[in-house]
Amino acid sequence: MLALNPNQIRLQARPKDKSEAITMVGELLVESGNIAYGYIDSMQNREKVANTYLGNSITIPYGLPENRDLIQQAGVAVLQVPDGVTWNPGETARLIVGIAAKSDEHLEILRKLTGVLGDEALANRLTQTTDVQDIIEALTGTRSQQAAAAQPTRSSEDYEQFFDAIVQNATGLHARPAAMFVGIAKRFKANIRIRKGERVSDGKRLLALLQLGAGHGTQIRVSAQGVDADEALEALKTALANNLGDNEPTTSTPAPATTQRNGQTSTAEKKTQAQDWTPQLVQATVAGISASTGIAIGPVHRYLHTSIQIIDQPEDPVVAGDRLQSAIDRAQEDLGTLYKEIKARSGEEKAAIFQAHSEMLGDTSLIQKTVSLILADHGAAWSWNNVMQEQVQQLQQLQDPILAGRAADLQDVGQRVLQYLTTETTTRSDPKDTVEDQSATPVILLAEDLAPSDTANLDPQGVLGFCTVGGGPTSHTAIIARSMNIPAIVGAGQEVMHIEEGAICILDGRNGKLYVQPSETDIAYARNLQQQAQVQEEAAKAERFTTATTKDNHPVEVVANIGSINDAQRAAEAGAEGVGLMRTEFLFLSRDKAPDEEEQFNIYRDIVQCMNGKPVIIRTLDIGGDKTVPYLNLPKEENPFLGIRGVRLCFANPALFNAQLRAIYRAAAYGPVSIMFPMIATLEDYEQARTYAERVRQELNAPEIPLGIMVEVPSAVILADQFAREVAFFSIGTNDLTQYVLAMDRGHPELARQADALHPAVLRCIAQTVQAAKKEGKWVGVCGNLASEVLGAEILTGLGVAELSVSIPAVPNIKAHMRTSIYTDLQDKAQRALACRTAAEVRSL
């Protein structure tokens, strides 16, 4: 990169006109040995054929290509004109950067210069500064050696004021929460930085934040410097504690919804005949991943993206810059319209996707890099596409699959601008237009993939559902599909695009299967299921306070998993018969220190009172694995899921454990409370935890309350007969049990689909635990995701599980299904499941 020293900069200049300004900056280049004096004339002549004014009072005069022989040494010079000089009508220049370069030696300076262009405040400061080092630093990234020697050095890239936090969002700092973070940061004058490990990002730049790859459970440090740093940090800390407004479900199972439309019905996860139904006569079955529940019936239509042809042709930089800005402005208008439409249709949370897209477009780094390529004699469209593809590839390389999936959002943003840069009329096909061009008949859309904006533009009257080759259930495309109640399947593979155009299909969004050319009988049956689903869900909601007793009078306790007082209120309203899992770790996350005994007591008491006499099981702190807290100063572990987590962490922090136990025992005075210990692997683990609890109970002179354990590691299953003699109850955590039994990370992008809690190996572990408990007269509950699935609830109940602790939205449906079931039938199904060889066989029962 070209050096810039104080001798090449003149401050406080007062040229009478543009010509004199060019001469003055040219003379600086002559004095520095960069050019022969005749090159100044070439710089003057260049202005006659091209405009070198960039914007924000900055201009870059340089000579004609045919006079490069007058350049003696590549270099730059800067003339500062605080009062300004008219460059062209309506354009006032205050920072004139003269350039002498035979090839690309000056590009790094230009890249730095585009950073100034994108920051109006910085540009204004440079035009008025009295310190040449400010200009040197802005254009080279460093101060001169003499100035640097006088500057204090910092051993850390963090600002002095900071806080540490854990990213609690199920899908990490993806586009929507990251955009909210940036939006909050931009409200303050202070500079904001965010650190993940050794990587530090500008907290006011969305793309930089996304590229950190801060997934769920990631520890980050947010630091600030400036007049309002305290206020900025407090606002960001509060926002992080509230998940940055992100309430998307943590599992791939979409939130239930019901809507009847022409040719389709979206259904909640309530057991209907559809769960056992498979068409009897079809041409083919394509299996994918459920993205949005419901059944759609109709002809398929292949949606093909029209590729945009890009030819790299050099343009006048000013013309190219104007076209780039116009394209970005038009794209921003599109996104504003989309935001309003989705907000009106599905609420602000879902619409926030397009606010994130808008924030991406406003990222100055994209514009800076594009302009630098334009200045290097590339066309606007080529430059924009080159920059976007580089950024997309960086996101795709992130290890977190959710954050890597945000590359699709950036690609969508890039294409939106590119369509306006390439032709006067858009060449980007719109799936809505494509459907409307075919006929008035609603269709099931087949596509390689759909961008979020493509999905948002779908007309529910014209698109019954869609099935894509790629994509995942946590993508923004899937989120929007759920918000619009459009049944959808993703990740179905290339086979989808080989289905004959217009073929009649049944799309089963709940099972993630597309049935090609079903018989008329199958179609009639599927339409009947659509109608039944709507009726059954309405009935489930109406009867949600009725107990879950099977037709042959077998009681099933359906309770809820919660993490806060707000959850407790929602659970009570949903008809939950108690709390099967109170996740206390959420009280400990995203804060500087642990909650004390009094704070915990108040929260536990309020939850107990909210449940109004119904049982509440409080799990002691389950930190570690995918959940960490900075203030505990835990050492980094090679495999945190096999390290200090759950009750092991409590043993390592007795004061923390005692405070929590005291708060729980005190809250038990207000209603029926049980304590549950997580990650119990050995009898010694339980005996030690029980000793802690008993000591606290005696100190408080409190009555005894039931003590149980989580069964989530194989050793607890193997020793279940021994544990059953000691504990009051078991609660099986099927999420962890599945990954430990199958040795598959439930978050792994390739293995997650195989980590199925309905695998016979997992079911046999559950059955063994239930049998051991029964021999000692103890009961067993399940608090993992499996209990929230209808098929899972059936099999668990048939195995003898007494309590199903489910997600709050699933409560009415699971209760309603139990009321329509026969216990002996469920027992029979459970035994058949145990005899299966694979999870797929179990799911086909």
Side-chain angles (χ1 to χ4, degrees), residues 355-405:
Q355 281 188 321
H357 282 201
S358 181
E359 187 67 42
M360 286 179 181
L361 266 188
D363 193 302
T364 57
S365 68
L366 295 178
I367 301 171
Q368 292 166 13
K369 292 178 180 179
T370 302
V371 170
S372 70
L373 290 175
I374 290 172
L375 292 173
D377 292 332
H378 293 288
W382 185 93
S383 299
W384 174 260
N385 188 59
N386 184 280
V387 170
M388 293 303 293
Q389 293 310 311
E390 178 185 352
Q391 298 293 321
V392 166
Q393 289 173 12
Q394 288 180 17
L395 286 179
Q396 289 173 335
Q397 290 169 5
L398 294 177
Q399 293 183 353
D400 188 307
I402 304 299
L403 296 173

Side-chain angles (χ1 to χ4, degrees), residues 155-158 194-201 211-212 218-221 636:
S155 60
S156 169
E157 292 185 70
D158 302 321
I194 179 168
R195 172 190 289 279
K196 173 198 168 190
E198 297 302 313
R199 299 188 63 186
V200 179
S201 164
Q211 288 166 0
L212 273 183
T218 298
Q219 179 178 331
I220 59 174
R221 171 166 291 184
K636 184 177 181 180

Side-chain angles (χ1 to χ4, degrees), residues 270-280 295 508 510-511 513 515 522 525 529 532 536 758 790-792 794-795 817 820-821 825-826 829 832 841-845:
K270 168 172 173 46
K271 168 68 179 178
T272 69
Q273 294 174 1
Q275 282 198 282
D276 288 332
W277 175 72
T278 300
Q280 298 301 303
I295 294 176
D508 187 345
R510 189 194 58 79
N511 286 322
K513 291 182 179 179
Y515 301 106
D522 288 326
Y525 197 84
L529 291 177
Q532 289 182 29
Q536 289 172 340
L758 282 176
V790 171
L791 180 58
E794 285 183 327
I795 293 174
H817 181 70
T820 60
S821 299
D825 290 345
L826 300 183
K829 179 174 280 191
R832 286 188 283 128
E841 287 183 10
V842 175
R843 289 196 176 278
S844 68
L845 292 175

Side-chain angles (χ1 to χ4, degrees), residues 119-420:
D119 189 334
E120 185 176 355
L122 175 58
N124 289 337
R125 183 163 63 85
L126 295 182
T127 62
Q128 302 297 322
T129 184
T130 57
D131 185 353
V132 294
Q133 298 297 336
D134 290 339
I135 295 176
I136 292 174
E137 185 174 20
L139 297 187
T140 68
T142 60
R143 301 176 79 84
S144 68
Q145 291 183 353
Q146 308 97 293
Q151 293 293 317
T153 59
R154 293 179 60 88
S155 60
S156 169
E157 292 185 70
D158 302 321
Y159 294 123
E160 290 184 1
Q161 294 175 266
F162 66 88
F163 68 85
D164 293 327
I166 299 296
V167 178
Q168 297 188 55
N169 303 66
T171 51
L173 283 184
H174 60 87
R176 285 178 297 154
M180 177 172 282
F181 184 100
V182 171
I184 294 171
K186 285 183 175 180
R187 297 177 194 165
F188 300 92
K189 296 178 181 179
N191 295 320
I192 310 291
R193 286 178 179 164
I194 179 168
R195 172 190 289 279
K196 173 198 168 190
E198 297 302 313
R199 299 188 63 186
V200 179
S201 164
D202 184 345
K204 295 185 179 182
R205 283 188 52 221
L206 178 59
L207 290 183
L209 206 55
L210 288 176
Q211 288 166 0
L212 273 183
H216 172 70
T218 298
Q219 179 178 331
I220 59 174
R221 171 166 291 184
V222 181
S223 60
Q225 177 178 279
V227 292
D228 52 3
D230 288 337
E231 295 89 337
L233 290 176
E234 187 61 35
L236 291 169
K237 185 176 180 180
T238 300
L240 281 164
N242 292 318
N243 290 345
L244 291 162
D246 188 12
N247 297 312
E248 184 64 17
T250 61
T251 69
S252 62
T253 303
T258 300
T259 301
Q260 180 72 38
R261 292 192 303 272
N262 181 16
Q264 68 169 77
T265 302
S266 292
T267 64
E269 284 194 5
K270 168 172 173 46
K271 168 68 179 178
T272 69
Q273 294 174 1
Q275 282 198 282
D276 288 332
W277 175 72
T278 300
Q280 298 301 303
L281 184 62
V282 299
Q283 185 183 90
T285 300
V286 179
I289 305 170
S290 170
S292 182
T293 59
I295 294 176
I297 307 165
V300 298
H301 171 63
R302 288 194 297 270
Y303 165 53
L304 301 174
H305 287 276
T306 302
S307 61
I308 299 177
Q309 299 300 318
I310 303 171
I311 300 174
D312 186 17
Q313 293 180 331
E315 301 179 59
D316 181 286
V318 175
V319 173
D322 288 344
R323 292 204 314 113
L324 176 64
Q325 190 60 57
S326 175
I328 291 173
D329 290 344
R330 293 173 71 182
Q332 289 283 26
E333 290 175 8
D334 291 347
L335 292 171
T337 300
L338 274 174
Y339 171 77
K340 292 176 183 177
E341 291 177 353
I342 297 299
K343 182 179 179 181
R345 183 192 304 152
S346 307
E348 187 166 2
E349 181 184 344
K350 300 298 185 292
I353 291 169
F354 297 105
Q355 281 188 321
H357 282 201
S358 181
E359 187 67 42
M360 286 179 181
L361 266 188
D363 193 302
T364 57
S365 68
L366 295 178
I367 301 171
Q368 292 166 13
K369 292 178 180 179
T370 302
V371 170
S372 70
L373 290 175
I374 290 172
L375 292 173
D377 292 332
H378 293 288
W382 185 93
S383 299
W384 174 260
N385 188 59
N386 184 280
V387 170
M388 293 303 293
Q389 293 310 311
E390 178 185 352
Q391 298 293 321
V392 166
Q393 289 173 12
Q394 288 180 17
L395 286 179
Q396 289 173 335
Q397 290 169 5
L398 294 177
Q399 293 183 353
D400 188 307
I402 304 299
L403 296 173
R406 294 295 83 90
D409 293 288
L410 188 56
Q411 187 81 274
D412 189 16
V413 169
Q415 291 293 305
R416 185 173 292 283
V417 174
L418 197 58
Q419 71 180 6
Y420 289 125

